[in-house]
Amino acid sequence: MWHDTKLMNNTANALFGLVLFMLLLSGVWWVIQRPVFTLRVIKVDAVNVGSDGSGLRHVNPLTIRNTALPRIRGNFFTANLDAVRAAFEAVPWVRRASVQREWPNKLIVTLEEHVALGTWGEDGRLISVKGDVFTANLAEAEDDADLIALNGPEGSEKEVLAQYLEFKNWFAKINLAPESVNYSSRYAWGLKLNNGMQVELGRVQDANTLKSRVDKLMQVYPQLLASLQDSIENVDMRYPNGLALRSSHSNIGLKKQTKASGKT
């Protein structure tokens, strides 16, 4: 073996290359650990800036400092951007975060906030205008807008939101709007309007079930309003040939109910 010159030369070259590689690797490691690459600045921007120049409404430096910054590790080169993104997405009100490096010691974080539409379920969570359910300060959300109440089985958030938007569009024709929408565990729809009237629409049988029942209600609503004024409490539209109505007139304190058979 020791008399094989070619083999010895190849072995020496390989060892020399390995040592050179290790020296180069050590040099690179030494360079990237220099203090100049320590993260000095984390700039936070907003995805959508309002016409008044405002940026983030609910995410503030204090919540970022307390929630996100303690979870960031490494420097300009070694910081895991996925981990940084996850740290910022753990901040209340943050819907989505994106992170970029800026030479030599800066991170640019762009945040998109949730825009609350209403509450979801009974546990105090919020639902956004995009159908995302999240946890945040309810009082802050109430400062932004009048919240509607949405409820449904887990995983149905976007379906309930889409149906709410359809209800809103349909009832706008008679100057009413949903205050709450409930999609029960039995897959039956119900809603409460901003005049206090509860409307039961039942289960969907085909693509036109809900629309046809709402249309039927809107056809008779002017007559109901003329005769009962604001005393309508509940309208049950689950009957194929009619409806069930419950009303109470504040002046006489009586209950009036009209029923039809064949509820579906």
Side-chain angles (χ1 to χ4, degrees):
M1 174 180 176
W2 299 110
H3 300 290
D4 190 337
T5 304
K6 184 176 180 180
L7 178 61
M8 293 179 62
N9 288 337
N10 290 338
T11 302
N13 290 337
L15 291 173
F16 177 76
L18 179 61
V19 171
L20 185 61
F21 174 76
M22 295 300 295
L23 289 174
L24 180 62
L25 188 62
S26 299
V28 170
W29 181 253
W30 181 86
V31 170
I32 65 176
Q33 294 300 321
R34 294 303 87 204
V36 69
F37 300 119
T38 300
L39 292 175
R40 305 289 184 187
V41 177
I42 298 178
K43 182 184 178 183
V44 177
D45 292 329
V47 169
N48 297 317
V49 178
S51 58
D52 60 353
S54 61
L56 298 169
R57 181 174 178 82
H58 297 288
V59 179
N60 57 62
L62 180 60
T63 57
I64 290 174
R65 189 177 301 114
N66 291 338
T67 306
L69 296 189
R71 301 174 58 182
I72 297 175
R73 300 287 185 271
N75 62 16
F76 177 81
F77 290 105
T78 61
N80 186 313
L81 296 191
D82 287 337
V84 175
R85 175 184 54 77
F88 277 89
E89 289 181 350
V91 175
W93 286 100
V94 173
R95 178 177 186 264
R96 183 176 297 157
S98 61
V99 186
Q100 293 179 316
R101 307 180 204 267
E102 186 173 296
W103 183 266
N105 50 21
K106 189 174 183 179
L107 293 180
I108 307 296
V109 182
T110 304
L111 300 181
E112 178 185 355
E113 276 189 323
H114 288 291
V115 178
L117 174 67
T119 60
W120 176 261
E122 305 296 331
D123 56 3
R125 291 181 296 170
L126 295 166
I127 186 168
S128 75
V129 295
K130 296 187 177 181
D132 299 317
V133 174
F134 64 103
T135 302
N137 190 313
L138 181 60
E140 293 182 25
E142 291 174 334
D143 288 340
D144 289 346
D146 294 330
L147 302 179
I148 61 170
L150 301 182
N151 185 48
E154 288 299 317
S156 67
E157 297 87 353
K158 286 182 169 54
E159 181 182 359
V160 174
L161 172 62
Q163 191 59 63
Y164 158 75
L165 294 175
E166 288 196 317
F167 287 148
K168 183 179 179 181
N169 181 53
W170 296 342
F171 281 102
K173 298 175 183 178
I174 55 174
N175 298 317
L176 293 175
E179 284 188 345
S180 67
V181 174
N182 181 62
Y183 187 38
S184 75
S185 59
R186 299 181 65 184
Y187 307 107
W189 291 94
L191 65 151
K192 184 178 181 181
L193 298 171
N194 58 346
N195 65 348
M197 183 171 67
Q198 181 73 32
V199 181
E200 303 297 340
L201 295 172
R203 291 191 291 268
V204 173
Q205 298 172 336
D206 57 53
N208 297 317
T209 300
L210 297 180
K211 183 66 165 60
S212 63
R213 291 177 179 177
V214 170
D215 286 343
K216 183 166 57 176
L217 173 59
M218 291 194 295
Q219 288 173 5
V220 301
Y221 181 73
Q223 299 172 345
L224 298 176
L225 187 62
S227 60
L228 300 172
Q229 298 181 359
D230 294 329
S231 62
I232 305 171
E233 290 184 348
N234 183 283
V235 179
D236 192 336
M237 302 301 301
R238 293 174 290 179
Y239 300 91
N241 299 314
L243 57 86
L245 170 68
R246 185 174 71 245
S247 66
S248 62
H249 199 289
S250 59
N251 291 335
I252 58 177
L254 297 178
K255 296 280 185 179
K256 179 180 178 182
Q257 189 165 0
T258 303
K259 290 186 177 179
S261 60
K263 183 169 67 173
T264 59

